Amino acid sequence: MGRKTDMVLAVADMAGTVLFAVEGAMAALKGGLDLFGVLVLSFATALGGGVLRDVLIGAGPPTALRDWRYPAMAFAAGGATFAVQVMVGQNPMDQVPMGVMTTLDAAGLSLFAVAGTEKALNRHIPPFSAVLMGTITGVGGGTLRDILLAQVPAILRVDVYATAALLGATVMTGAIRLGIQPRYAALAGGGACFALRMISVWRHWALPTAVGVTG
Amino acid sequence: MGRKTDMVLAVADMAGTVLFAVEGAMAALKGGLDLFGVLVLSFATALGGGVLRDVLIGAGPPTALRDWRYPAMAFAAGGATFAVQVMVGQNPMDQVPMGVMTTLDAAGLSLFAVAGTEKALNRHIPPFSAVLMGTITGVGGGTLRDILLAQVPAILRVDVYATAALLGATVMTGAIRLGIQPRYAALAGGGACFALRMISVWRHWALPTAVGVTG
Amino acid sequence: MGRKTDMVLAVADMAGTVLFAVEGAMAALKGGLDLFGVLVLSFATALGGGVLRDVLIGAGPPTALRDWRYPAMAFAAGGATFAVQVMVGQNPMDQVPMGVMTTLDAAGLSLFAVAGTEKALNRHIPPFSAVLMGTITGVGGGTLRDILLAQVPAILRVDVYATAALLGATVMTGAIRLGIQPRYAALAGGGACFALRMISVWRHWALPTAVGVTG
């Protein structure tokens, strides 16, 4: 990709990391964790998906551990969230309209899903598994966060969230297979993920469950 | 091994994957998860043990991610279980007599334990650890499933289940060390695991606990 | 390091493993797990941190799986704890004064944190991540234990515990970067971890939380 695209991607990646770290910190604060717990959940939520992907594809030390800027950003975002909560006495994000948070989160999810898919494909992981790796990159952090809070991961229970990541990873993998340039494949995949996520929130879509049917 | 043995093994491996995936889907349905959750638990239960083993022995991308047929089978089995539940309105496996389920599950456990042990030994993991890896291959999927359901893993609390896998892995490792051919060592290990599991269910054996004694 | 230092370190490492295994077994007994569960929690608590570190830094099969003496010690310590509980009818460690347990545990934590940091640095993991790896080596086992017990990990909620490991790993990494010999850097790091942990217990220090402030 061109240098300008690279820079845009790097900035987006960092923005996604910061956003997910703040969301992790908010979940930790709601769970009554102390400062260390807040930092751990910021790290886990922001970088857990990528770490899991790198361990699974055997990529050696995960990017999040080789490049100190990623954990540093996650910790800074988590620490700042904690500080604001203590000083201001309320959740700093409560001031942000829900729609803005949802939109930002959907953007972060799309970015992570697409970036994870690309990394797996670059490592010659087969397409089917690359789609799984993209999905895990997108939702692995939130899953780890919920496990650390001793809760059933939200993505397993509700909402069209992981499904959006799965769609984005599938579209991107398919586009690459069709010979489309990576940058356009990424745009298509990210756009599909973002669109499905936003529409599903707007239309209150949820995946089917079998509750009520279960004996 | 001969070509015929290979084919028998491959078929058995796929049958075990499908069976464990169905069991994972049933646990997910009982837990009220949505379709995505059902698919994730099918994958985790069927393939989690092998993935964990491959990550631990440093075998690069786990087999379950390099060969698309494994995740595809797990997802298909989970999706079918979900579909039957929704359409028929009851757990599809409720029609299967308990004894049949227990027998099939014991067979799957034996197979996974033996296959995991063999892979670890082939990778020159020391015998003691190869036994652990075989056990983890057998019970790791169920453990992961329970963690995702925010429950204490069943194998840690009740039953002679992991112990049967441990016995099978130990017998197989011992037999290999004694110079017995892999195919007979596998038969001996798998037979020991299967026998202990079936007898313990039949005789209502359980491992000792210290409950009631604890302060 | 000299041969004598090596021996001291090896003995300390084994002592730490045994101690953490006993603590894991005690937690398992309190949770009502059976014998297998006790053994698994002994292993997870004693060796889980190191296994996690080795997987994360891509060091191939973790040390705990390549050297059979580590799992053997963990299982022996867990089995002995279980046996004493069943025979004597009470938690064997209840006889040990709390202060002694706390001191031993702080020593084990310091040792694990420093050893984990050293291994990461030797593997050319960047300093920032080496500090994380040292901390994970110290507290990863206890975290895994709590996850297996379906509890929010204690280190995320209370106490100056992980923070002490973090301090020790930071001091050691800093000292190495300043050109100080590894053995003295390890002493400084271990000492800092031990001191902070002991002082915080003695003075009832805890990390700040935002509880009561949360909306």
Side-chain angles (χ1 to χ4, degrees):
Chain A
M1 302 188 194
R3 229 171 133 188
K4 205 167 166 188
T5 321
D6 272 0
M7 181 124 53
V8 170
L9 270 183
V11 169
D13 202 21
M14 294 191 180
T17 301
V18 166
L19 179 74
F20 276 38
V22 168
E23 293 184 7
M26 285 163 63
L29 288 169
K30 270 189 200 120
L33 302 192
D34 66 16
L35 175 56
F36 183 82
V38 169
L39 296 180
V40 168
L41 258 73
S42 300
F43 181 91
T45 309
L47 303 171
V51 167
L52 200 52
R53 174 204 60 214
D54 287 347
V55 166
L56 285 175
I57 65 179
T63 312
L65 298 180
R66 267 180 299 172
D67 185 339
W68 65 271
R69 290 172 304 175
Y70 286 95
M73 268 186 306
F75 289 137
T81 306
F82 184 87
V84 172
Q85 166 93 30
V86 166
M87 288 188 301
V88 181
Q90 71 172 12
N91 208 311
M93 285 303 165
D94 282 356
Q95 299 308 313
V96 184
M98 183 61 107
V100 175
M101 277 304 284
T102 302
T103 307
L104 288 174
D105 183 76
L109 177 70
S110 307
L111 186 82
F112 278 31
V114 161
T117 307
E118 188 173 26
K119 180 155 188 185
L121 288 171
N122 286 346
R123 288 243 156 203
H124 307 294
I125 301 291
F128 195 95
S129 298
V131 169
L132 291 183
M133 292 301 103
T135 309
I136 284 180
T137 308
V139 306
T143 305
L144 196 55
R145 174 199 63 208
D146 292 344
I147 290 177
L148 286 171
L149 288 169
Q151 293 169 355
V152 178
I155 57 154
L156 301 182
R157 283 180 293 125
V158 289
D159 255 5
V160 177
Y161 191 84
T163 309
L166 188 63
L167 175 69
T170 305
V171 167
M172 169 152 191
T173 302
I176 295 271
R177 298 273 289 182
L178 291 174
I180 292 171
Q181 277 191 40
R183 83 174 79 176
Y184 298 117
L187 266 178
C193 173
F194 184 78
L196 176 56
R197 175 65 190 147
M198 291 309 289
I199 294 174
S200 75
V201 169
W202 172 46
R203 305 292 297 172
H204 300 288
W205 283 351
L207 285 185
T209 67
V211 172
V213 188
T214 316
Chain B
M1 302 189 193
R3 226 169 136 191
K4 206 167 166 187
T5 321
D6 272 0
M7 182 126 50
V8 170
L9 270 183
V11 169
D13 201 23
M14 293 191 179
T17 301
V18 166
L19 179 75
F20 276 37
V22 169
E23 293 185 7
M26 287 164 60
L29 287 170
K30 270 189 200 121
L33 302 192
D34 66 16
L35 176 57
F36 184 82
V38 169
L39 296 180
V40 168
L41 259 72
S42 299
F43 181 91
T45 310
L47 303 171
V51 167
L52 201 52
R53 174 204 62 214
D54 287 346
V55 166
L56 286 174
I57 65 179
T63 312
L65 297 180
R66 266 180 299 173
D67 185 340
W68 64 272
R69 291 173 302 177
Y70 286 96
M73 269 187 305
F75 289 137
T81 306
F82 184 87
V84 172
Q85 166 92 33
V86 166
M87 288 189 301
V88 181
Q90 70 172 11
N91 208 310
M93 285 302 165
D94 282 357
Q95 300 307 314
V96 183
M98 184 62 108
V100 175
M101 277 304 284
T102 303
T103 307
L104 288 174
D105 183 76
L109 178 69
S110 307
L111 187 82
F112 278 31
V114 162
T117 308
E118 188 173 24
K119 180 155 187 185
L121 288 171
N122 286 346
R123 287 243 158 203
H124 306 295
I125 302 291
F128 195 96
S129 298
V131 169
L132 291 183
M133 291 303 102
T135 309
I136 283 179
T137 308
V139 306
T143 305
L144 196 55
R145 175 199 63 207
D146 293 343
I147 290 177
L148 286 171
L149 288 169
Q151 294 168 356
V152 178
I155 57 153
L156 302 182
R157 283 180 293 125
V158 288
D159 257 5
V160 177
Y161 191 85
T163 311
L166 188 63
L167 175 69
T170 306
V171 167
M172 170 152 190
T173 303
I176 295 271
R177 298 273 288 180
L178 290 173
I180 291 171
Q181 278 191 36
R183 83 174 80 175
Y184 298 117
L187 266 179
C193 174
F194 185 77
L196 176 56
R197 174 65 190 147
M198 291 308 288
I199 294 174
S200 75
V201 169
W202 172 45
R203 304 292 296 173
H204 298 289
W205 284 351
L207 284 185
T209 67
V211 171
V213 190
T214 316
Chain C
M1 301 188 195
R3 228 168 134 194
K4 205 166 166 187
T5 322
D6 273 359
M7 180 123 53
V8 170
L9 270 184
V11 169
D13 202 21
M14 294 192 178
T17 301
V18 166
L19 179 76
F20 276 38
V22 168
E23 293 184 7
M26 287 164 61
L29 287 169
K30 270 189 200 120
L33 302 192
D34 67 15
L35 175 56
F36 184 81
V38 169
L39 296 180
V40 169
L41 258 72
S42 300
F43 181 91
T45 310
L47 303 171
V51 167
L52 200 52
R53 174 205 60 215
D54 287 347
V55 166
L56 286 174
I57 66 178
T63 312
L65 298 180
R66 267 180 299 173
D67 185 340
W68 63 272
R69 290 173 303 176
Y70 285 95
M73 268 187 306
F75 288 136
T81 306
F82 184 86
V84 172
Q85 166 93 32
V86 167
M87 288 189 301
V88 181
Q90 72 171 7
N91 208 311
M93 285 302 165
D94 282 357
Q95 299 307 314
V96 183
M98 184 60 109
V100 174
M101 277 305 284
T102 303
T103 307
L104 288 174
D105 184 77
L109 177 69
S110 307
L111 187 82
F112 278 32
V114 161
T117 307
E118 188 173 24
K119 180 155 187 184
L121 288 171
N122 286 346
R123 287 245 158 199
H124 307 295
I125 302 291
F128 194 95
S129 298
V131 169
L132 290 184
M133 291 301 103
T135 309
I136 283 179
T137 309
V139 306
T143 304
L144 196 56
R145 175 198 62 207
D146 293 344
I147 290 176
L148 286 171
L149 288 168
Q151 294 168 355
V152 178
I155 57 154
L156 301 182
R157 283 181 293 125
V158 287
D159 256 7
V160 177
Y161 190 85
T163 310
L166 188 64
L167 175 69
T170 306
V171 167
M172 169 151 190
T173 302
I176 294 271
R177 298 273 288 181
L178 291 173
I180 292 172
Q181 277 192 38
R183 83 174 79 177
Y184 299 117
L187 266 178
C193 174
F194 185 78
L196 176 56
R197 174 65 190 148
M198 291 308 288
I199 294 174
S200 75
V201 170
W202 171 45
R203 305 292 298 172
H204 300 287
W205 284 351
L207 285 185
T209 67
V211 172
V213 189
T214 316

